[in-house]
Amino acid sequence: MSEELDLKQISTEEVYELMKEDLYYGEANEIVKEVEELLARGETPYDILTKGLVPGMDIVGVDFRDGVLFVPEVLMAARAMKAGMEVLRPLLTQTGAPRIGRMVIGTVKGDIHDIGKNLVSMMMEGAGFEVIDLGINVSVDTFMAAVKEHTPDILGMSALLTTTMPYMRVVIENLEKAGLRDRLLVFVGGAPLNQAFAEEIGADAYCPDAAVAVEVGKKMVSMRRNMA
């Protein structure tokens, strides 16, 4: 739809609305053009993030949660978001724009599944979090080093195999021994997990999908900051 329009001929407000629509349909190339057009008009990177990309991903998240969109469509939207963020990220860093929080995430040792983790990473970034993605098959030492280096608000762990689920407990126990556990929120997710398992290993939240991770992440980080 957007390729029929000359971006220069429409208002800034209309470009933002178009951005939300193109994000919803995963139009990565169009998103990049819209980001660049808004920058050329003097819109700040932070405004483009918070008035265009984040609200667009919020709509995607709601429709994913409600079963209107499914994983392939959300992945397309997330990739479009990522394309826009690749233009904005260096500019946001330069301007010191505020972020909601920081998250370190990885798939635990012994597990190489990453679709769910990637979706959470992209949607959390789309919601305004800085995300450090450690990838797959992540050892306790790597998780610990990343927590020490980046001091995240949230540590996210993913597992798709029942045999790798217990490794999440190992990571949490090591965080406790190192005195790092209380300073961060631990989120866990993956197909074989459930709320009871999350509680049993001492995690702060079980996130069955990326939309829940974003919703709970925003809420819990905000609550923790207000209590500080």
Side-chain angles (χ1 to χ4, degrees), residues 16 43-52 88 92 95 97-99:
Y16 276 119
E43 292 290 292
T44 68
Y46 184 67
D47 277 348
I48 296 169
L49 178 67
T50 56
K51 290 162 66 177
L88 290 179
L92 288 164
T95 56
R99 304 303 299 266

Side-chain angles (χ1 to χ4, degrees), residues 69-89:
L69 292 178
F70 299 95
V71 169
E73 295 144 315
V74 178
L75 279 172
M76 283 180 65
R79 286 185 187 120
M81 170 83 198
K82 193 173 183 180
M85 282 302 299
E86 281 171 6
V87 179
L88 290 179
R89 191 179 291 111

Side-chain angles (χ1 to χ4, degrees), residues 142-183:
T142 303
F143 275 123
M144 297 285 286
V147 167
K148 289 173 184 173
E149 179 185 352
H150 300 288
T151 58
D153 300 283
I154 303 169
L155 173 66
M157 291 186 284
S158 171
L160 200 69
L161 303 172
T162 53
T163 51
T164 59
M165 285 167 55
Y167 199 77
M168 293 176 167
R169 188 200 300 269
V170 174
V171 176
I172 292 173
E173 287 173 350
N174 276 269
L175 288 167
E176 288 169 351
K177 286 176 192 169
L180 300 170
R181 174 66 185 91
D182 292 342
R183 70 172 69 166

